[in-house]
Amino acid sequence: MIKRQSTIYDKKFFYLLFVCIASALGGLLFGIDMLVVGGTISQVTAQYQLSPGQVGWFVSSALAGCLLGSLISGVISDKIGRKKPLIIAAIFALVSVVGCVFANSFTALTIARLIGGFGIGIATMVSPLYISEMSPAKHRGKLTSLFQLAITVGIVIAIGFNAFIVNNAVNAVSSGSFFDQLFIEEMWRGMFAVELIPALLFLIICSIFPESPRWLIKEGREQEARTVLCKVLNEVEAEHSITDCKAAMEEENKGTYKELFTHAGKKKALYIALFLSVVSEWSGITAVFYYGSTMIEEALGQGGALDGFTIIAIINVLFTILSIFMIDLLGRKKLLFIGTLGCVSALVLLSIMIDDPTTSGPTLILLFSFFVASFATAIGGVKFTVSAEIFPASIRARAMALTTAAVWIQGTIINAFVPTFIESFSTGSLFLLFAVILSTQFIFIVKVMPETANRTLEDIENEILGSTC
């Protein structure tokens, strides 16, 4: 009898795992897009004779689309559920892939990237939301982290595919066909094509997995929610989940945006979440992934740069997995302090060495790897975890929408201005700027940030709400 219960539980868990992995494919698309564009910058710049400002817009156009998508994702996910927005996101991603591959002008290319970013913006908001609403409390943290892990896996896929195209194009025989031009004469088109299969897979799977039980309960469709919950929980757990969900909804309906700016404790919580979100972007992490391969190209050539960034991307995956275990073991503050120290050290070294013509490509790869490992172990995960923990249930969704929008705004600004900044100053000056900004996080960790590890959400809420500053 015990063995049979275990088997039933295993089947339920594996079904839950499948659904969560399927939803996390939205993160895979974001990771792929982030790194695909890095491998295309030099080619697209040469083909369309882009100015530094246009290069910045080429890179950040997808991020601008992400911002727009994330801003409307909360409204549409409340109106039509969690499943349908993910289907819409997959369709936008597919349209973007086709648009990028067949773009006949720089304007068409950036419009296609804007469309893709719009879909990714929806997915990056709704996918983690869907996972958290499908998952039992005992598995929620691990399963929600699948989204961040999917981003890092997407980065590996994109860099590996880019490297494959570059390394094999030199051996291809020109036939004059469209596909010859696609993969050889204009390799950047082939690089964008890598998103086709994940986007198509995302669309198919999103069409078959169930709607969020939490949204179904909100819409008064309790029996449908019960059916979904019974696929991942036993009947007693499903009933408790429905009861808890109703209670949480009553609490959430009491919250308003105004509270975030008028209540002292909630203002402090918003400040903490915004600081972590904004400063993490100004660490330069997206600039490294978008422009790092171009920086290394000068030393190793395009093929060598892509091979080097494949190593960096794998390190990103491994240390993201490590962070899942370390974040509770060391605590949020200690882990963040260590990660910030590692990132600042790497940035300072890069600011000194990256403009030195005697610095070798392998040395740059080592420094970028050190930076990415430090970020993945701490900053990347801590900002999302703490932001989800410090807000009361009544305003958590609204506050998270603001902090997510802040991330996209910073990413758009940073990656649009990077080429112009480098041209006006230097690459070393850019990394020094990132180091100075990120250094402010040391003071924040010691003086402001609360420790939330191994504490109940109620304890954290009481501390934050009791704040007078």
Side-chain angles (χ1 to χ4, degrees):
M1 184 69 179
I2 294 176
K3 184 177 181 181
R4 184 179 178 184
Q5 287 178 339
S6 176
T7 302
I8 294 173
Y9 172 79
D10 288 344
K11 288 181 179 179
K12 291 180 182 292
F13 178 76
F14 283 118
Y15 176 78
L16 172 65
L17 186 62
F18 163 74
V19 169
C20 291
I21 290 175
S23 180
L25 286 175
L28 187 76
L29 290 174
F30 176 51
I32 291 174
D33 186 81
M34 179 187 292
L35 260 295
V36 159
V37 70
T40 66
I41 291 174
S42 60
Q43 298 172 48
V44 172
T45 299
Q47 181 165 333
Y48 293 112
Q49 297 297 301
L50 304 183
S51 67
Q54 288 175 313
V55 172
W57 173 237
F58 168 59
V59 171
S60 63
S61 55
L63 294 171
C66 287
L67 172 61
L68 296 174
S70 66
L71 288 175
I72 73 158
S73 60
V75 175
I76 64 172
S77 63
D78 279 341
K79 293 289 185 181
I80 64 175
R82 315 316 192 206
K83 176 178 177 176
K84 290 178 181 176
L86 291 176
I87 294 175
I88 293 171
I91 293 172
F92 273 103
L94 283 170
V95 171
S96 175
V97 173
V98 175
C100 288
V101 170
F102 292 95
N104 58 5
S105 68
F106 176 65
T107 299
L109 180 59
T110 53
I111 290 175
R113 283 187 49 71
L114 191 69
I115 291 171
F118 186 81
I120 291 172
I122 294 174
T124 53
M125 278 287 289
V126 180
S127 290
L129 178 64
Y130 178 86
I131 294 172
S132 67
E133 292 180 350
M134 278 295 298
S135 305
K138 60 185 176 181
H139 297 306
R140 185 174 297 124
K142 295 179 178 63
L143 291 175
T144 303
S145 68
L146 288 173
F147 186 80
Q148 180 67 22
L149 183 60
I151 294 175
T152 65
V153 172
I155 290 171
V156 173
I157 292 173
I159 296 180
F161 191 79
N162 284 1
F164 173 81
I165 290 178
V166 172
N167 292 337
N168 285 275
V170 294
N171 299 319
V173 178
S174 178
S175 64
S177 68
F178 169 76
F179 288 102
D180 175 62
Q181 182 185 43
L182 178 68
F183 288 101
I184 302 172
E185 296 178 20
E186 296 181 336
M187 289 184 291
W188 62 268
R189 297 183 188 273
M191 292 176 181
F192 279 120
V194 70
E195 296 182 62
L196 180 63
I197 294 178
L200 187 60
L201 184 63
F202 189 39
L203 175 61
I204 294 172
I205 296 180
C206 285
S207 301
I208 62 175
F209 66 47
E211 180 56 83
S212 160
R214 193 182 192 286
W215 184 80
L216 291 172
I217 293 171
K218 182 176 77 72
E219 294 296 304
R221 296 157 62 177
E222 189 171 312
Q223 186 54 47
E224 291 178 60
R226 184 175 288 105
T227 300
V228 174
L229 286 170
C230 285
K231 293 181 179 180
V232 298
L233 302 171
N234 61 44
E235 291 185 9
V236 174
E237 290 173 329
E239 291 301 324
H240 285 164
S241 181
I242 292 172
T243 302
D244 291 343
C245 184
K246 288 180 176 179
M249 286 181 181
E250 290 178 4
E251 181 66 19
E252 288 174 12
N253 289 335
K254 299 175 185 177
T256 64
Y257 277 111
K258 183 179 178 181
E259 295 176 41
L260 289 168
F261 302 98
T262 56
H263 186 284
K266 293 171 184 177
K267 269 199 302 186
K268 180 177 180 180
L270 181 62
Y271 165 69
I272 291 169
L274 285 176
F275 185 95
L276 290 172
S277 298
V278 170
V279 173
S280 72
E281 288 299 300
W282 280 95
S283 70
I285 186 64
T286 56
V288 166
F289 278 119
Y290 281 125
Y291 297 102
S293 59
T294 303
M295 296 172 184
I296 299 175
E297 262 184 48
E298 296 180 7
L300 296 177
Q302 187 174 41
L306 289 171
D307 288 339
F309 246 72
T310 302
I311 297 172
I312 294 171
I314 292 172
I315 288 173
N316 190 31
V317 174
L318 296 177
F319 280 85
T320 297
I321 295 173
L322 176 64
S323 71
I324 296 173
F325 300 98
M326 298 301 291
I327 196 167
D328 287 322
L329 182 63
L330 289 181
R332 304 350 177 200
K333 293 183 67 170
K334 185 180 294 185
L335 184 62
L336 186 60
F337 192 94
I338 294 171
T340 302
L341 181 61
C343 285
V344 170
S345 300
L347 289 168
V348 170
L349 290 172
L350 281 165
S351 72
I352 295 170
M353 302 179 72
I354 198 163
D355 292 324
D356 186 345
T358 63
T359 302
S360 66
T363 299
L364 292 180
I365 292 172
L366 179 62
L367 289 175
F368 279 131
S369 297
F370 179 36
F371 171 77
V372 168
S374 299
F375 185 93
T377 303
I379 300 176
V382 168
K383 69 175 180 180
F384 290 118
T385 301
V386 172
S387 295
E389 291 173 328
I390 61 175
F391 291 108
S394 61
I395 57 167
R396 186 171 294 130
R398 295 170 177 83
M400 290 298 292
L402 289 178
T403 55
T404 302
V407 169
W408 291 125
I409 290 171
Q410 302 310 308
T412 303
I413 293 171
I414 292 167
N415 291 288
F417 103 105
V418 162
T420 303
F421 184 92
I422 291 176
E423 183 183 53
S424 301
F425 300 97
S426 67
T427 306
S429 298
L430 177 69
F431 285 112
L432 182 60
L433 174 65
F434 289 147
V436 170
I437 294 174
L438 186 57
S439 294
T440 63
Q441 192 154 263
F442 290 121
I443 300 173
F444 171 82
I445 295 170
V446 174
K447 298 290 187 180
V448 181
M449 181 180 166
E451 178 55 77
T452 57
N454 301 313
R455 299 176 63 189
T456 66
L457 293 178
E458 290 75 20
D459 286 342
I460 298 169
E461 182 175 334
N462 288 335
E463 177 182 338
I464 296 295
L465 294 184
S467 173
T468 58
C469 59

